[in-house]
Amino acid sequence: MDLRAEKVKWKDKKVKEIYMDAFSKDERMPFVFMVMLSKTTNTDFLAFYDKEILCGFIYIATIDNLTFVMFFAVDKNIRSKGYGSAILSKVQSLYPDNKIILSIERCDVDAEN
């Protein structure tokens, strides 16, 4: 697995589908807003590909040597195949001097997502 990262554009419909599937409406930011903010110096919205297969995305904000993962998802059709770990490793290599902060919500078997 050799992942490559590409900046997400507003027309990346497949990234948007993964985002909409992975996060409930009350957890999401508007997709276009995320793309617009990623053009600033502190925010990146990256899609990750294994050859031509879109694996997932990460939306991060960086301040000084801290990189905070705000949104992170792997395509539901390829989960549990190591892509999540590979994406996080790639992010670590893109920001080698930064502390990567990732918060997760508690697993709730009764939750819709």
Side-chain angles (χ1 to χ4, degrees), residues 40-110:
T40 67
T41 57
N42 295 337
T43 310
D44 283 313
F45 194 4
L46 302 171
F48 292 86
Y49 294 84
D50 184 5
K51 296 183 178 90
E52 298 306 312
I53 299 169
L54 172 63
C55 303
F57 71 86
I58 201 159
Y59 184 78
I60 54 179
T62 300
I63 299 173
D64 297 325
N65 67 337
L66 297 175
T67 298
F68 183 73
V69 176
M70 299 171 66
F71 295 97
F72 171 42
V74 173
D75 185 328
K76 67 181 177 184
N77 298 309
I78 57 171
R79 288 184 189 149
S80 299
K81 298 186 185 303
Y83 285 109
S85 296
I87 290 171
L88 290 174
S89 291
K90 187 72 169 181
V91 169
Q92 198 170 28
S93 72
L94 294 171
Y95 302 88
D97 299 326
N98 290 16
K99 290 183 181 181
I100 311 295
I101 301 167
L102 174 70
S103 62
I104 60 172
E105 62 185 19
R106 183 181 309 256
C107 291
D108 181 356
V109 294
D110 296 326

Side-chain angles (χ1 to χ4, degrees), residues 1-39:
M1 176 181 328
D2 185 28
L3 295 182
R4 76 175 188 285
E6 293 183 8
K7 288 196 172 275
V8 173
K9 298 174 181 66
W10 66 270
K11 63 181 180 176
D12 288 336
K13 292 180 182 178
K14 182 66 175 157
V15 174
K16 186 175 181 179
E17 286 174 20
I18 294 170
Y19 176 59
M20 299 299 229
D21 182 63
F23 297 95
S24 64
K25 185 176 181 177
D26 60 322
E27 295 174 320
R28 294 190 302 249
M29 292 173 49
F31 186 80
V32 168
F33 188 63
M34 291 170 64
V35 173
M36 288 172 39
L37 282 176
S38 71
K39 297 181 187 304

